[in-house]
Every structure is written in C-alpha cells, then in structure tokens.
C-alpha cells in the first residue's frame, strides 16, 4: 500500500504549498496538529474505505484542512488555541445550552444578536440555531432538506449575517451550534440536480437502483422513520430513471458516504462554516449514513469511522470545533457514537442522552423510578473526554425508547409500558392532564411517538387553563429540569420551555406544516410570557426563576463536570431517584421525589452514603432530618447535596 502523506515528506505535498505564505508560527502549529491527528484520520478512513482507497483520500482532506486553516481569521485561530488549552470546555458545569428556530426565537439573524441579553440572563453559553442554510421550497422538514450549503435562508439573513452573529455570540461567551445534515440533501440540491441531469459523477453521490430487487431486500430489515407521511425507504424518480434511497421524506435524498467524494464535500462544508464561526456541528441523523444489507442500516461501524475522520480533519484545521452526534438509538448502541474500544473518545464529542430524556418522562408518568434506575445503571460508562447532551425536550417527537430487557428486569412489559407512556402523554389515560399529540402511529409495531411542549406534557398548560394545580405542575417541571441539569452533561433548553410555554394551537396553519405535528412544540417565543419571566407570581415567572436558579447553582458545582460518571443510587422508595457523582472535590448526591406526595429518604441510607453532613446546594441549607434521621421529601422535591 502506498504510504499516506507524511508531514515530514520532502516532496512538498499540496498543504505545504498552501501554507507557504503564513508565518512560521502558523505553519508549525499546523504541522504539529497534523502529526497529532493524522493517525486518527488515517485509521478512520482505513476502517471505512480500506487500504486501496484511503491513500488517495488522506491528501485530499489534508489539503482541504490546509486551505481552510490559511483562510481562518485571527480571532478564530485564537479560539482554536484557547480550546486546545481547555479541551474540556464542553464539560464545564457553567455550560448551558439553548436551542431554537431563528425565526421563531428572534425573527432573523440580526434579531438573534438583539436577544443575546435574554440568553445571558439564563446563563446560555451554547446556542443551537436550527437548520438555517437554504432549504428546498415548501415542506423542508424544518430545514432538514438543505438545497444549498453555501447560503443562508433568505428571510433569516446572509452568510455575512451568520458570521456577524457568530462574532457577537462569541463576544458574549456563547458558542454557535449548527446542524450538519449528513444523511441527505434536498432533491433540489445542486448535487441532486446534476444527478437527475445524468452526470455520472453526481449519480454516484446517491444510492440509486434500477429496479426494486435491492430495495426490497434492504427493506426486509429497515424500520420506517416516517411511516405516516413517507412509508418505505426508497422513492422512484422519473428524471433519475431509478429508485433513490430516501430514509426520511421522498424529497430528502440519502447521500452515499461509501463514495469518498461525499466525505470530501462534507469536510469542505464543515471547514467553510467553521470559518464563519460555527463551534459545534450537530450531525443530524448520523446513524443512517452507512447502509448494509441484512441490517437496519443504522450505526454501522463505518458511521463511527467516518465521524472520526471528519473530526480529525476539523481538529487539524479548526480545533475550536466539536461534533455532536444526533443518534436517537437504543441505549445499548449509543456509546459507539462517542467511541468504544480503541476509538474511545475519538468519535463525536457530544451525544444526546436520549435514554435519560425518555426515563424522565417515564418516571413522571408512572411516579416510579425503578425502570429509570435500571435503564440508567446498565448504560456503560462513556469516555471521560466525551460529554452527554442532556435535555428534557427538543424539536422532535419523543419515541419511547424503553428496552424490553430493562422493563422485564423490573417486572414490567416493554410493549405495555410504551403503550402506557403514549396514552399518558396523549392525555388518554385516566388521571393524565397531558396534552401531547400522537406522531407517526405505526400499526405494524404499535409505535406511537409523542409531540408536545414540556409544559403541555407535564400538565402545566391544563393547570393554567383551569387555574388549578399550577404550583404542582411548575414543581414537576422544576424537578424534570433538575434531573436534566444535575445529571452531569451539557443541558440544553428547548426554546419556550424556559417560560413554560404550551403547544402552539395554530401549528398546522403554516404552509407545509399541517401534516407534521412536531410543529406544535416549536412555537414562536411568547413575548408576553417573556415579559413576566421575573414575576414569580405567574407560571412563566415561576418556571423561569426556577430554571435560572438551577442553572446558576450548577455553574458553582465542580461535581457536575461532564467527565465525572453519574451512578444511580439504590432505590429505597420507588418514588425517589438518587444519583451519585464522585468528584475529587467530594461527592454529589442528587435526591429526587418524582411523585406528587411527600416521600421519605431513610435515615440509615443517609448514613450509608455518608450524606448526613452534606449541604443542599439549591437551598444552601444543611440536610434537614427528622428525629429518626430520615429526610422528608416534599412533592417533586430536589436536593443537590454536596
Ligand atoms: C433528525 C432531526 C429531525 C429530522 C430528521 C431528518 O432526526 O432531528 O427533525 O426530521 O433528522 O433530517
């Protein structure tokens, strides 16, 4: 096999020529990074493409990295240096995330700059703006059908606005997070247009089939992502004269990562956006990028190998940049996105803790922590350098990712419990005041996912309407947020949840939205509620004040640094979840009553965990105990003992 380029190679590879005009210091920094990251890059490529193809791909990627490096601004080079010196920046307990659609949060990109003060009040240091590159016209799956990677959606601004917004955010201590929609492009994207025009180079960017033979074989093992509005995973296209792989909607064409040209294209997109100031890329639907017959074509080993390669390219050119895996997969398959075995810590830097999100909602509905304790304890430890992204809600529906084994271990039936959760959150179960909407009912497997804003799911919307039970619902929301914020990971608040905002009753009115009820929980930020955010006598004020307090307290607790593993404590009362974190500065014990009744934490357990002398960081008070040493936990009480 021909040797991949050696940073010391005397035959002057392309990257050396690209950097020739830079200062000596800049050139040395690039070389040192290349030495550091080339093995990760090469290993990733070898695992995906093998030793025949890899030697020709390495120099292409290194050349792209060098070009981007040479074009990077001084301010961003400085950011690179800062993060090289502080590689745990995403794990710091002061990190607070917020995610929003630009237009729904602030109208447009200049509007985002005007709302930086609002974000800082919450303590936000990480802002995920939902897809804002030019999408296809009409339904674009919330922007996840990108038609042009080089421009911003016209109504939101320009690339220059994006760069200015990034700079303004950086100056306010906020990192900018954007989606990199890696699995597909819009049918209207130039690559797809050229493929339809018959250009063989671009036909190879997609997965095309002349007839149904192969699609049928693949489909035997493929689950349907959108069974209601896009059944099946392949779409016939007359202009292509072929079936094209479309995991999601018919107009979202999966690209073929088995083709290294596609990797190089995406590397170029990452590097360009990084140079406009993007700090974190959310790798949308990353699980799906490698297909393998006979499997569900999710999370194949090549997915992780290619992520590793992409990350290595970014580390060489712009190490301020991190990657986040959007892999909403079974807990047992999640760790691979952060790297396992010899890839540990080399794949994505962040991954969504979907299991925690599901278990928080499960605990609240069932008022029982036993399933959560089981599911969260069997999840293997993540790499110490990687970070969970913890969240209560996001822009997507909730799929009830409860493993049958975990359910069985605590005496439940997986299918029945999943059905219960759908019924509960759709408001169809006696006693539930939730107002979720069923998303993508799949009659084949009984799957009924749920859309809905946190306030609507937790009963706050109903309580506000009936003017009864508001305090209790707000307390439940505080508890839910506390579980997410105190778990250890980077908590991300979904826009509107900081005000306890309910479902948007007019979600279906906008063009292209009516078939997709996820828009119910993507409301425009309610300005009237925002005005009330410091008025604790209102529901909005209560929720906001609680959230700010949780986030500020978190920022003071080194025990919540993302490198520390969370363990689940023994369950003594089925209504009480205990979390334990051992940090060099001392222990953190989180105690959570997930019920609407007073529960007790036994005195002997307090002794057993050596928690008697600890102080509740949230109230600032020492642990209060009754004469027999037990701790009374008010409905939905939270203690963060340190
Ligand atoms: C991700 C996004 C979701 C989108 C899908 C297809 O799962 O979160 O909103 O529909 O990818 O791009």
């Amino acid at each position: 096999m021909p040797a991949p380029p050696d940073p010391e190679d005397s035959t002057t590879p392309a990257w050396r020529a690209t950097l020739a005009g830079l200062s000596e210091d800049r050139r040395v920094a690039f070389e040192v990074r290349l030495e550091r990251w080339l093995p990760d890059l090469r290993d990733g490529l070898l695992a995906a493409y093998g030793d025949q193809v890899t030697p020709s791909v390495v120099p292409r990627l290194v050349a792209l990295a060098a070009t981007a490096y040479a074009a990077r601004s001084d301010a961003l080079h400085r950011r690179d240096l800062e993060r090289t010196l502080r590689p745990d920046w995403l794990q710091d307990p002061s990190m607070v995330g917020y995610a929003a659609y630009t237009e729904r949060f602030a109208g447009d990109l200049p509007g985002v700059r005007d709302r930086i003060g609002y974000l800082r009040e919450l303590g936000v240091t990480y802002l995920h703006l939902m897809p804002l590159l030019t999408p296809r016209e009409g339904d674009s799956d919330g922007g996840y059908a990108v038609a042009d990677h080089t421009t911003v959606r016209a109504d939101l601004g320009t690339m220059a606005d994006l760069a200015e917004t990034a700079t303004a955010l950086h100056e306010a201590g906020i990192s900018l997070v954007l989606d990199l929609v890696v699995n597909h492009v819009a049918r209207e994207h130039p690559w797809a247009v050229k493929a339809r025009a018959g250009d063989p180079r671009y036909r190879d960017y997609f997965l095309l089939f002349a007839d149904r033979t192969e699609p049928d074989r693949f489909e035997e093992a493929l689950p349907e992502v959108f069974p209601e509005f896009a059944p099946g995973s392949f779409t016939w296209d007359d202009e292509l004269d072929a079936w094209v792989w479309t995991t999601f909607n018919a107009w979202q064409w999966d690209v073929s990562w088995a083709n290294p040209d596609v990797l190089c294209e995406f590397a170029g997109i990452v590097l360009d956006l990084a140079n406009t100031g993007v700090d974190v890329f959310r790798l949308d639907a990353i699980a799906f990028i490698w297909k393998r017959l006979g499997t569900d074509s999710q999370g194949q080993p090549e997915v992780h190998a290619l992520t590793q390669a992409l990350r290595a390219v970014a580390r060489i050119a712009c190490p301020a940049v991190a990657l986040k895996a959007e892999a909403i997969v079974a807990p047992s398959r999640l760790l691979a996105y952060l790297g396992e075995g010899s890839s540990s810590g080399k794949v994505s830097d962040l991954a969504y803790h979907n299991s925690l999100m599901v278990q928080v909602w499960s605990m609240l509905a069932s008022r029982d922590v036993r399933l959560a304790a089981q599911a969260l304890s069997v999840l293997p430890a993540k790499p110490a350098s990687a970070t969970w992204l913890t969240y209560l809600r996001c822009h997507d529906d909730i799929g009830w990712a409860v493993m049958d084994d975990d359910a069985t271990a605590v005496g439940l039936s997986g299918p029945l419990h999943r059905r219960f959760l759908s019924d509960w959150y759709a408001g169809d179960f006696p006693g539930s005041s939730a107002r979720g909407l069923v998303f993508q009912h799949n009659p084949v497997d009984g799957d009924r996912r749920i859309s809905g804003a946190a306030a609507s799911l937790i009963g706050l919307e109903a309580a506000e309407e009936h003017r009864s039970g508001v305090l209790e619902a707000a307390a439940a929301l505080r508890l839910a947020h506390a579980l997410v914020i105190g778990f250890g990971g980077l908590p991300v608040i979904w826009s509107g949840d900081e005000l306890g905002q309910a479902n948007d009753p007019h979600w279906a009115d906008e063009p292209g939205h009516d078939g997709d009820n996820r828009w119910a929980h993507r409301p425009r930020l309610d300005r009237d509620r925002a005005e009330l955010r410091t008025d604790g006598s209102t529901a909005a004020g209560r929720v906001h004040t609680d959230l700010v307090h949780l986030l500020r307290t978190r920022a003071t607790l080194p025990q919540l640094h993302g490198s520390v593993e969370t363990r689940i404590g023994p369950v003594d009362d089925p209504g009480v979840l205990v979390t334990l974190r051992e940090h060099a500065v001392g222990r953190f014990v989180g105690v959570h009553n997930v019920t609407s009744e007073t529960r007790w934490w036994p005195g002997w357990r307090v002794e057993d965990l050596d928690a008697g002398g600890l102080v509740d960081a949230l109230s600032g008070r020492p642990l209060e105990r009754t004469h027999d040493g037990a701790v009374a936990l008010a409905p939905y009480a939270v203690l963060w003992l340190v």
Side-chain angles (χ1 to χ4, degrees):
M1 146 187 168
D6 176 347
E8 300 305 316
D9 189 351
S10 55
T11 58
T12 317
W15 61 266
R16 275 200 194 280
T18 306
L19 304 186
L22 302 187
S23 70
E24 165 87 15
D25 287 355
R26 281 269 155 91
R27 273 183 285 135
V28 168
F30 187 88
E31 279 173 28
V32 173
R33 289 202 213 140
L34 191 56
E35 280 164 18
R36 161 68 182 86
W37 295 104
L38 197 60
D40 280 26
L41 174 59
R42 202 185 282 139
D43 290 349
L45 293 175
L46 282 171
Y49 298 137
D51 56 9
Q52 295 299 306
V53 174
T54 295
S56 65
V57 185
V58 173
R60 286 174 72 188
L61 290 170
V62 174
L64 285 171
T67 304
Y69 179 80
R72 200 156 163 82
S73 71
D74 287 345
L76 292 174
H77 275 298
R78 188 193 160 95
R79 213 166 169 74
D80 291 334
L81 182 58
E82 283 164 8
R83 291 199 174 149
T84 312
L85 298 176
R86 206 187 285 281
D88 64 341
W89 64 281
L90 287 165
Q91 301 187 313
D92 196 276
S94 66
M95 288 298 288
V96 175
Y98 189 87
Y101 279 98
T102 303
E103 73 282 7
R104 292 165 178 268
F105 172 59
D108 55 15
L109 285 169
V112 171
R113 306 204 281 271
D114 298 338
R115 303 222 186 282
I116 286 177
Y118 177 84
L119 295 172
R120 287 305 303 158
E121 248 179 74
L122 267 173
V124 171
T125 58
Y126 165 115
L127 176 64
H128 174 199
L129 292 177
M130 299 297 291
L132 48 65
L133 299 180
T134 305
R136 74 192 293 270
E137 276 179 31
D139 189 358
S140 66
D141 186 19
Y144 285 104
V146 178
D148 182 3
H149 285 103
T150 62
T151 56
V152 167
R153 226 173 81 186
D155 60 315
L156 301 181
T158 60
M159 270 293 172
D161 286 318
L162 182 63
E164 264 178 61
T165 304
T167 305
L169 290 169
H170 292 172
E171 280 164 5
I174 303 176
S175 296
L176 176 61
V177 186
L178 285 194
D179 280 88
L180 185 72
V181 187
V182 282
N183 180 64
H184 43 262
V185 296
R187 183 178 182 273
E188 293 74 12
H189 190 282
W191 305 340
V193 172
K194 288 182 220 166
R196 290 210 303 280
D199 185 334
R201 173 181 162 101
Y202 289 95
R203 285 181 74 91
D204 281 350
Y205 276 34
F206 299 95
L207 297 135
L208 307 183
F209 307 90
D211 58 42
R212 284 290 314 181
T213 319
E214 273 194 84
D216 284 344
R217 290 177 64 207
F218 272 108
E219 262 180 0
E220 279 168 25
L222 291 178
E224 285 180 309
V225 181
F226 292 148
E228 282 184 14
F229 43 66
S233 295
F234 300 86
T235 303
W236 174 260
D237 191 283
D238 278 338
E239 287 177 48
L240 276 176
D241 194 26
W243 290 91
V244 53
W245 197 307
T246 53
T247 298
F248 294 87
N249 288 291
W251 29 261
Q252 285 168 306
W253 287 14
D254 290 31
V255 290
S256 172
W257 282 77
N259 178 353
D261 290 353
V262 167
L263 167 66
C264 292
E265 294 273 13
F266 274 97
I269 294 165
V270 164
L271 296 168
D272 285 348
L273 288 170
N275 277 358
T276 65
V278 176
D279 295 278
V280 178
F281 288 92
R282 172 187 181 276
L283 304 177
D284 177 69
I286 180 72
F288 298 86
I289 69 168
W290 195 275
K291 327 292 187 190
R292 178 162 281 119
L293 194 63
T295 72
D296 63 359
S297 293
Q298 289 185 43
Q300 295 300 306
E302 291 83 353
V303 168
H304 313 306
L306 289 170
T307 308
Q308 174 175 324
L310 207 52
R311 178 173 179 264
V313 172
R315 286 292 202 271
I316 293 166
C318 47
V321 164
L323 301 184
K324 163 171 70 162
E326 190 250 343
I328 309 305
V329 298
S332 56
R333 297 173 79 177
L334 188 54
L335 260 296
Y337 294 83
L338 298 173
E340 286 174 317
S342 61
S343 297
S344 177
K346 296 181 180 176
V347 185
S348 281
D349 302 287
L350 278 165
Y352 285 83
H353 203 322
N354 180 55
S355 182
L356 176 66
M357 188 270 291
V358 167
Q359 292 302 338
V360 169
W361 291 108
S362 170
M363 285 189 279
L364 285 166
S366 61
R367 289 154 200 205
D368 192 315
V369 308
R370 284 172 289 190
L371 174 63
Q374 161 71 21
L376 296 171
S377 340
V378 296
L379 196 68
K382 62 162 185 55
S385 61
T387 311
W388 289 123
L389 183 147
T390 59
Y391 64 119
L392 182 59
R393 289 297 293 115
C394 72
H395 69 288
D396 278 329
D397 52 288
I398 308 177
W400 301 115
V402 169
M403 298 299 98
D404 287 344
D405 286 352
D406 290 335
T408 309
V410 296
L412 294 173
S413 141
L416 286 182
H417 188 66
R418 290 191 289 272
R419 195 206 295 174
F420 160 70
L421 292 172
S422 293
D423 288 346
W424 181 270
Y425 285 110
D428 293 341
F429 197 90
S432 164
S433 56
R435 294 193 174 167
L437 304 166
V438 172
F439 179 74
Q440 304 292 321
H441 179 204
N442 188 341
V444 178
D445 56 13
D447 196 25
R448 283 161 80 225
R449 285 133 70 182
I450 292 288
S451 294
S456 298
L457 297 181
I458 223 156
L460 182 61
E461 182 191 357
E464 280 197 77
E465 195 177 296
H466 301 138
R467 292 168 194 259
S468 146
V470 172
L471 288 182
E472 184 179 310
L477 189 50
R478 173 177 179 270
L479 169 93
H481 274 139
L483 281 160
V484 165
I485 293 168
F487 192 80
L490 197 166
V492 178
I493 312 297
W494 175 242
S495 183
D497 284 352
E498 77 277 22
L499 301 169
Q501 212 178 312
N503 288 345
D504 177 359
H506 307 296
W507 65 267
D509 296 350
E510 280 171 61
H513 290 186
D514 56 342
D516 186 345
N517 66 26
R518 290 176 297 173
W519 288 103
H521 58 248
R522 302 168 180 174
R524 293 195 152 60
L525 197 72
D526 183 335
R527 300 279 149 224
D528 296 336
R529 280 183 92 89
E531 288 302 312
L532 298 172
R533 66 189 180 278
T534 54
D535 179 352
S537 71
T538 66
R542 181 113 214 163
V543 172
H544 194 271
T545 312
D546 284 345
L547 197 53
V548 169
H549 183 62
L550 288 165
L551 292 167
R552 294 229 171 110
T553 307
R554 170 182 140 87
T556 67
L557 299 176
Q559 295 89 341
L560 291 175
H561 188 276
S563 60
V564 176
E565 203 57 38
T566 298
R567 283 188 300 123
I568 303 300
V571 178
D572 298 309
D573 178 322
V576 179
L577 187 79
V578 175
T579 55
L580 302 167
R581 297 171 61 80
E582 306 292 348
H583 186 277
V585 303
R587 172 173 291 182
F588 170 98
V589 185
V591 187
H592 315 85
N593 176 359
V594 305
T595 77
S596 55
E597 301 145 15
T598 298
R599 294 294 174 103
W600 296 90
W601 196 31
W604 59 266
R605 182 63 74 191
V606 178
E607 300 305 332
D608 180 46
L609 292 174
D610 209 9
L614 300 182
V615 171
D616 174 25
L618 287 168
S619 65
R621 287 198 295 269
L623 194 58
E624 284 167 34
R625 301 168 70 179
T626 59
H627 61 279
D628 62 354
V631 177
L633 300 166
Y636 299 115
V638 183
L639 303 173
W640 283 357
L641 302 174
V642 291

